[in-house]
Amino acid sequence: MELISKTKEAQQNLPPIIVAEEQFDDLSDMSERLGDVLPEVSAFLERELSRAKLMPLARIPREVVTVGATVEFVFGMKGQPERLKLVMPSRDIAEGCISLASPVGVALLGMREGETISWSTRYGDIRWLKVVKVHGRH
């Protein structure tokens, strides 16, 4: 099963996303590498990249989540905002970071402050998150 339904109706309900041109190739390569170990995350990332608007990093508005941005978001019904830095996958993910090799990391990519996205897990559970604030890129 995959993380996001590919129906036209589901696609139309997704918020638009922006991805940095300079990061696109690395993200696409990463999606391919994840295919064997995390196929659901790979498919989710591939889908997100296919619908993303590409823009030079310097022109992406500050309120958009990019790789390297620290973002405050609410995940599901927890209600407690979390503040994490979106990073590429590596063996040692530092505390306070979230990897793009996770469904939450993929969901955050390209989102704007105030936007919400939802997806279904491979078990059919619905997950969602809302971006509260983008605190900067490093």
Side-chain angles (χ1 to χ4, degrees):
M1 288 192 204
E2 56 189 75
L3 286 166
I4 298 277
S5 167
K6 290 201 178 223
T7 65
K8 285 187 179 189
E9 183 178 309
Q11 292 265 349
Q12 291 170 350
N13 292 331
L14 294 170
I17 63 170
I18 300 171
V19 171
E21 290 173 345
E22 299 90 336
Q23 297 172 345
F24 183 83
D25 288 342
D26 288 340
L27 292 166
S28 185
D29 291 346
M30 183 190 70
S31 176
E32 285 184 37
R33 288 191 308 273
L34 288 174
D36 290 336
V37 288
L38 297 168
E40 296 87 9
V41 176
S42 174
F44 187 9
L45 180 56
E46 186 71 29
R47 203 289 313 283
E48 290 297 276
L49 291 175
S50 72
R51 70 184 194 85
K53 176 181 177 184
L54 299 182
M55 185 179 290
L57 184 59
R59 290 191 45 226
I60 293 179
R62 290 279 176 208
E63 68 271 8
V64 173
V65 180
T66 60
V67 177
T70 298
V71 59
E72 188 175 339
F73 63 97
V74 176
F75 178 62
M77 301 305 256
K78 278 183 166 179
Q80 291 282 79
E82 297 184 54
R83 186 174 174 164
L84 300 170
K85 181 178 180 181
L86 184 62
V87 298
M88 296 293 276
S90 70
R91 289 201 164 121
D92 299 312
I93 299 291
E95 188 173 332
C97 293
I98 186 148
S99 171
L100 271 157
S102 70
V104 172
V106 173
L108 287 168
L109 182 67
M111 297 282 291
R112 287 182 184 267
E113 292 175 1
E115 290 182 329
T116 302
I117 188 169
S118 63
W119 65 96
S120 61
T121 68
R122 64 178 147 176
Y123 304 110
D125 300 326
I126 300 297
R127 300 284 188 254
W128 63 269
L129 65 78
K130 179 177 182 173
V131 175
V132 176
K133 179 87 175 140
V134 178
H135 292 280
R137 301 179 194 135
H138 306 289

